[in-house]
Amino acid sequence: MACASIPERPADLKVSYGLRSKSLGPRKWARMDPLNLAPSLPRAEGPPGPGDPGWLVRLCWAPEEHQTRMRRKSLLQARVMDFLTSTAVLPLLFGCVGVFSLLKLLQWLRMKAYIRDAVVVITGATSGLGRECARVFYAAGAKLVLCGRNAKALEELTEELAASQAAKVQTHRPCSVTFDLSDPGCIVGAAAEILRCFGHVDVLINNAGVGYRGTVVDTSTDVDRRVMEINYFGPVALTKALLPSMVRRRQGHVVAISSIQGRISIPFRSAFPGSVTCDHEERGCMEAASRLQRDERAGTSVGMPHPPTHLALWPPTCADAASKHATQAFFDCLRAELEQCDIEVTVISPGYIHTNLSLNAITASGARYGGEALVSLFFCKKLPDDSVGTFTLIWDILPKTRAHVGGGHLYWSDLHHDRSRGYEYPTSLLSVVQLRDRMAGVPPPPDLEELLVGTQHPARWPHRLGPFTDKTTAEGRSPVEVAQDVLAAVGKRKKDVVLAGLAPSLAVYLRALAPSLFFRLMAARARKEQKPKHC
Ligand SMILES: NC(=O)C1=CN([C@@H]2O[C@H](COP(=O)(O)OP(=O)(O)OC[C@H]3O[C@@H](n4cnc5c(N)ncnc54)[C@H](OP(=O)(O)O)[C@@H]3O)[C@@H](O)[C@H]2O)C=CC1
Ligand SMILES: CCCCCCCCCCCCCCCC(=O)OCC(=O)COP(=O)(O)O
């Protein structure tokens, strides 16, 4: 055994590093990793004797016999590894991959068979996710019943699908049923019409829904009820109307398109609309709008016939979270109750999707978020400060729309939006009619009509429209991809699916596991987005 104070290393000697205690004696050496000494420390066999200087680190040469032993050991290890990789592990690995692929293939075939020829009802099929679901389920061979409020849009979609060649399986001409989910009186009749289409329903996809933009304090309970009516009571009533037929057949599948906001409530989760492209002019408009809203609160506003209580220019907040929480709860209960009847229930919670949801959202005043903001920003800075009035705008593609002017700002509410035209936007204002002074008796400036008509820049509409889809929505997933995920979730008969990114998914767990931390984070988020106006 050669142990010295680092002699020159002979070429044929293997160097190993070791520790030695004087109390262990010269033969007690341990091979060890020089960079990780601690785990390999040899244990002392007794307490250090008197005068023992403790552990010494030395560089030593391993003895010849020890080296041979080690060489044999590594040879054995190499053989074992060879055996495992050549005769056991690789075949096992390939076997697992094969079995896994086979299972996936079977699952895929089962999924295809489940959807093919199934009668699938989709609500809100006229737009966004519903429209894309219609396309993917149609291509998968489903017999579709398309539901919506807009008969013309449903007809167009039916024609488009019937003309499409994309499907590799036999397709069926869709049937359409027009009704408003927020009208409780028409749901039973609509369900009967749905059942008449193909005689039964296999899959009901409750997709239709609205977004909401407004602060809790500014919103009347009537508007809260409207959101609940469309997002919660409508789907619940439709499901209940179709369930008896499913239960009788002991076959059926109910799907609810909820939201990640059915799990967590996010305040001010959207960026300030238009903040990305907000130029100096727009900022001026926003300031004017804020001033006007302040004046209204203080009761010093110049007369407005029906001043809106909310401007779409305010950072939006979220209240449809309540309706989606209710949806999650209802369909979770339903799943448990219906399992014994062999009826499946799937709740799908997507994160942001790039659709018209934010444009179509209901504001605290009950108006449509997109429409209000659009015209406010487009015209406000160009109106003289003392112009006050109510008049009608005639657009190229929309029927008459009432507008209010006050405080240099023009409000246009989309309440009279012509649904039969879908969600096209006006590109040109043809004229301003019925210009009449209301409250204040201040005649509108004579050139107002000319001013409004003259300021049309059709080429700028797309630019102006862009920002009013909330940034978060605009950056959301493509509805085509989400529709494919919905198809997969239904085909695999999943019970509960979250289709969101990492942060929202983690937030769901955080809400459940550390609620106080979650609430603190949300409050910080709300503080950052908007100073409360009510306290
Ligand atoms: N976009 C997103 O970021 C997210 C959306 N979701 C959910 O996805 C679903 C689809 O929304 P999305 O496609 O994004 O939005 P869209 O606004 O593009 O589509 C909404 C659909 O619902 C229909 N609808 C609205 N109100 C009613 C009503 N009273 N009666 C009947 N139908 C109605 C609309 O019909 P019409 O054309 O007549 O207005 C439209 O077809 C909604 O439930 C939404 O909450 C969930 C998470 C995120
Ligand atoms: C362990 C670390 C966790 C960190 C979590 C921090 C909190 C992160 C918050 C993430 C918020 C995501 C919000 C997602 C909201 C969403 O996707 O909503 C979808 C919608 O319903 C959109 O509809 P809307 O009408 O509201 O636009």
Side-chain angles (χ1 to χ4, degrees), residues 65-317:
E65 65 179 84
H66 178 70
Q67 278 188 46
T68 318
R69 215 173 32 246
M70 294 316 294
R71 216 174 290 129
R72 262 196 226 119
K73 199 172 157 195
S74 14
L75 208 66
L76 192 70
Q77 275 171 355
R79 283 208 185 124
V80 169
M81 282 313 289
D82 267 1
F83 170 79
L84 284 177
T85 49
S86 61
T87 57
V89 171
L90 282 184
L92 205 68
L93 200 72
F94 282 121
C96 286
V97 171
V99 170
F100 182 75
S101 314
L102 201 68
L103 283 177
K104 281 271 156 203
L105 182 72
L106 284 177
Q107 197 181 41
W108 184 77
L109 289 174
R110 230 178 118 216
M111 183 184 114
K112 291 267 163 190
Y114 186 64
I115 303 297
R116 193 178 311 135
D117 301 328
V119 178
V120 178
V121 180
I122 303 175
T123 66
T126 48
S127 163
L129 181 60
R131 203 179 169 87
E132 294 311 327
C133 280
R135 289 188 176 127
V136 297
F137 277 85
Y138 178 81
K143 295 174 178 165
L144 293 184
V145 183
L146 305 173
C147 304
R149 290 177 293 187
N150 183 339
K152 191 157 176 269
L154 288 176
E155 190 49 39
E156 280 168 11
L157 179 61
T158 304
E159 292 309 323
E160 181 210 306
L161 294 177
S164 71
Q165 307 284 319
K168 295 189 181 89
V169 293
Q170 202 216 323
T171 54
H172 310 271
R173 187 179 169 80
C175 175
S176 62
V177 178
T178 313
F179 64 99
D180 189 329
L181 268 173
S182 64
D183 177 359
C186 71
I187 303 287
V188 172
E193 208 180 324
I194 289 171
L195 284 169
R196 273 197 299 275
C197 285
F198 294 100
H200 67 273
V201 170
D202 290 307
V203 183
L204 163 65
I205 304 183
N206 287 300
N207 162 76
V210 280
Y212 166 84
R213 300 292 184 272
T215 61
V216 171
V217 171
D218 282 343
T219 305
S220 74
T221 23
D222 280 350
V223 171
D224 288 328
R225 279 206 184 91
R226 216 170 115 198
V227 174
M228 287 300 283
E229 207 66 67
I230 300 169
N231 286 1
Y232 176 70
F233 288 111
V236 164
L238 183 64
T239 304
K240 285 185 171 190
L242 290 172
L243 266 180
S245 122
M246 290 185 177
V247 171
R248 259 195 313 278
R249 296 176 66 229
R250 289 193 75 86
Q251 189 181 323
H253 192 152
V254 181
V255 181
I257 303 293
S258 178
S259 160
I260 199 82
Q261 293 195 65
R263 311 291 197 92
I264 45 170
S265 299
I266 311 289
F268 312 127
R269 77 277 174 267
S270 172
F272 195 70
S275 58
V276 190
T277 53
C278 179
D279 59 22
H280 182 69
E281 283 177 18
E282 284 167 344
R283 220 178 281 281
C285 292
M286 288 169 187
E287 277 160 17
S290 317
R291 205 173 47 241
L292 182 72
Q293 201 171 52
R294 267 202 315 275
D295 290 350
E296 277 167 19
R297 281 219 180 75
T300 57
S301 164
V302 280
M304 288 281 291
H306 303 290
T309 52
H310 168 81
L311 272 179
L313 304 173
W314 294 109
T317 175

Side-chain angles (χ1 to χ4, degrees), residues 486-513:
V486 170
L487 176 77
V490 173
K492 290 177 191 163
R493 289 171 244 196
K494 293 250 166 101
K495 299 203 181 314
D496 194 61
V497 184
V498 172
L499 298 177
L502 187 66
S505 305
L506 284 178
V508 172
Y509 288 105
L510 197 67
R511 168 70 180 83
L513 299 174

Side-chain angles (χ1 to χ4, degrees), residues 23-65:
S23 60
L24 292 176
R27 299 192 66 80
K28 304 279 183 174
W29 285 98
R31 270 174 59 76
M32 56 196 314
D33 175 358
L35 297 176
N36 183 18
L37 297 171
S40 313
L41 279 173
R43 286 171 63 110
E45 281 160 11
D52 191 331
W55 297 99
L56 297 175
V57 179
R58 293 206 187 156
L59 182 66
C60 302
W61 298 338
E64 189 79 38
E65 65 179 84

Side-chain angles (χ1 to χ4, degrees), residues 210-213 258-261 264 266 269 318 320 324 350-353 357-358 361 470 472-473 500 503-504 506-507 510 518 521-522 525:
V210 280
Y212 166 84
R213 300 292 184 272
S258 178
S259 160
I260 199 82
Q261 293 195 65
I264 45 170
I266 311 289
R269 77 277 174 267
C318 169
D320 58 320
K324 295 297 188 181
Y352 293 111
I353 315 170
L357 191 79
S358 61
D470 280 351
T472 44
T473 311
L506 284 178
L510 197 67
F518 177 81
L521 280 174
M522 290 302 118
R525 201 179 161 99

Side-chain angles (χ1 to χ4, degrees), residues 382-402:
K382 293 169 177 108
L383 296 178
D385 265 5
D386 58 353
S387 58
V388 176
T390 298
F391 48 90
T392 303
L393 309 176
I394 307 288
W395 303 92
D396 57 346
I397 62 158
L398 292 179
K400 292 174 186 175
T401 315
R402 206 158 67 139

